[in-house]
Amino acid sequence: MIPSDTYYIRSPTAAMLIGKSIRTVHNWMENGCIEGKRIPYPDIPAGFAQLINLPSMQPLIPFPMTDAIMESISKADNYNYEEMVKVGLLFYEVKRFKIAADWFTCAAKHNNNEAMLLLSDFFIRGLGVKQSHAIGLQWLGKSSENGNMRATEKINNLLRLLNS
Amino acid sequence: MSIYDNTIFVSLNTAAMLTGKSTRTIRSWLETGIAKGGESLNDSIEKNLVVDLRSINQHIPVELTPTLIDSIDKSEAGISEETTNIAIAFSKSHADKIAIQWFELAAKQGNNDAMNWLWDIYYNGYGVEPDFAVAIQWLGKAAKHGSLFAQATVEGLRKTDAYLREQKKDEYNAIVEDIKRLVKSGDNDQK
């Protein structure tokens, strides 16, 4: 088992977890609110990247982060889109819809059809986003186009009833 | 005015879309003399091939009326309504595949009428296999771009959706259970 203090994530991921900007994450890191470290990163102009210590963020997260959850976030940080959906669902469970919507959007934009279906539902019900049936239907269609059977079924049901 | 009174040049892309061929085909037509045309003079940086509309007339499945020629001219200038008009002309002549290309171009230019047509085409399967997933996306786009007709349909779907939700509360709860199970599957992996 990896000791939990080795979970480090990139600052954009940290920003998504707390629903704030990356700048805020960096500020909070500088004033000690959350812990982090700098690693050399020659590919970007600053020359270094900030990594955030995930356990130190616990006070800002609305649910207890078990090792399994930190593992999940860590995988999401490494561009695992299924894990992103899971992280979004954690926020959905505690009714933090805006943060959940951000995670779903991120996964949906990388062709995760489950995230597309969830996002469609968020737009139709206006959870964490400005309610828009037009956008909700577009995500529903995209989800079906990307092979989500539940989305396909939902569309078929909707359109079947439209003509009756 | 008939098409034979004046020489009308269109771009390679337009020629390809009017005939339903690829630009490569049009290029080879120009090379072999099947189509007449040449390089446009007003663009010195890039070689801009143009095609004489008269020379490809017989390969275009609609009649090139003065109105249509006018539409082609304006569509090339980026006027999306005119692009839709071209698409409708092809649709009326049952050249559905070509019509779809023009509708898609008009939609890309932001014309909500074209988006509505595309919803109709994919929903009913005019010239294509019906594809509800694609259809519903066009409907959403049309509504978002201000088409009142699409907005009314979306409103109808909203009511249907609410009705289905009421009917299928149990199933919906099952989905919620599903979500909870998904959330917890992370924990299970660990055990």
Side-chain angles (χ1 to χ4, degrees), chain A residues 1-159:
Chain A
M1 185 92 172
I2 316 159
S4 55
D5 62 6
T6 58
Y7 286 113
Y8 278 92
I9 54 170
R10 295 172 304 116
S11 32
T13 309
M16 265 173 75
L17 279 175
I18 54 176
K20 305 273 182 196
S21 67
I22 296 171
R23 178 187 283 259
T24 305
V25 169
H26 288 167
N27 281 343
W28 288 1
M29 199 174 116
E30 268 158 37
N31 63 30
C33 187
I34 49 180
E35 290 164 27
K37 63 178 180 185
R38 284 181 173 190
I39 54 157
Y41 202 87
D43 291 356
I44 55 175
F48 61 87
Q50 316 254 36
L51 288 184
I52 314 296
N53 179 275
L54 187 54
S56 78
M57 291 181 69
Q58 179 62 75
L60 305 165
I61 307 287
F63 47 79
M65 287 195 290
T66 62
D67 275 332
I69 288 176
M70 283 198 277
E71 186 70 40
S72 214
I73 295 172
S74 198
K75 281 182 190 158
D77 186 44
N78 279 310
Y79 310 100
N80 181 326
Y81 302 111
E82 277 114 67
E83 297 295 331
M84 278 186 194
V85 176
K86 273 193 201 168
V87 175
L89 288 171
L90 290 167
F91 284 96
Y92 176 88
E93 279 240 294
V94 295
K95 299 199 172 10
R96 297 291 294 272
F97 298 125
K98 192 173 177 314
I99 296 181
D102 284 348
W103 284 93
F104 295 153
T105 306
C106 193
K109 287 194 170 156
H110 290 92
N111 293 334
N112 183 294
N113 66 32
E114 190 65 30
M116 290 169 177
L117 181 58
L118 287 159
L119 203 52
S120 149
D121 203 47
F122 270 41
F123 272 104
I124 287 171
R125 291 159 66 195
L127 298 178
V129 290
K130 190 164 175 283
Q131 190 171 32
S132 164
H133 285 83
I135 298 176
L137 290 177
Q138 285 180 59
W139 280 118
L140 186 62
K142 279 208 181 98
S143 177
S144 163
E145 211 182 351
N146 279 279
N148 189 312
M149 296 310 287
R150 290 222 314 277
T152 309
E153 199 193 321
K154 194 172 169 190
I155 291 172
N156 287 342
N157 286 337
L158 278 175
L159 296 187

Side-chain angles (χ1 to χ4, degrees), chain B residues 71-183:
Chain B
S71 289
I72 293 169
D73 195 35
K74 286 179 177 155
S75 163
E76 283 199 313
I79 300 172
S80 62
E81 291 88 348
E82 299 295 342
T83 313
T84 304
N85 286 341
I86 300 169
I88 293 171
F90 279 101
S91 184
K92 278 182 183 157
S93 305
H94 304 290
D96 293 319
K97 288 227 160 64
I98 297 181
I100 288 175
Q101 285 197 340
W102 282 100
F103 280 128
E104 279 174 355
L105 177 64
K108 210 186 254 177
Q109 291 171 335
N111 184 262
N112 64 31
D113 251 355
M115 296 171 189
N116 248 326
W117 274 89
L118 285 163
W119 143 251
D120 210 30
I121 285 167
Y122 282 104
Y123 179 62
N124 292 304
Y126 298 138
V128 288
E129 279 292 302
D131 189 335
F132 287 176
V134 175
I136 210 163
Q137 288 180 64
W138 283 118
L139 179 69
K141 274 187 193 146
K144 206 175 139 201
H145 279 81
S147 157
L148 295 177
F149 184 76
Q151 281 166 5
T153 312
V154 168
E155 176 59 17
L157 284 179
R158 188 191 64 77
K159 284 184 183 147
T160 311
D161 187 47
Y163 168 77
L164 279 179
R165 263 178 218 282
E166 193 54 40
Q167 292 284 303
K168 296 195 166 181
K169 249 188 177 150
D170 296 339
E171 260 180 58
Y172 183 70
N173 287 337
I175 291 173
V176 173
E177 285 306 309
D178 232 29
I179 287 172
K180 285 185 180 156
R181 191 178 46 74
L182 262 170
V183 171

Side-chain angles (χ1 to χ4, degrees), chain B residues 43-54:
Chain B
D43 196 329
S44 53
I45 306 158
E46 214 176 315
K47 256 205 338 188
N48 231 351
L49 287 173
V50 290
V51 183
D52 182 355
L53 210 45
R54 286 181 300 181

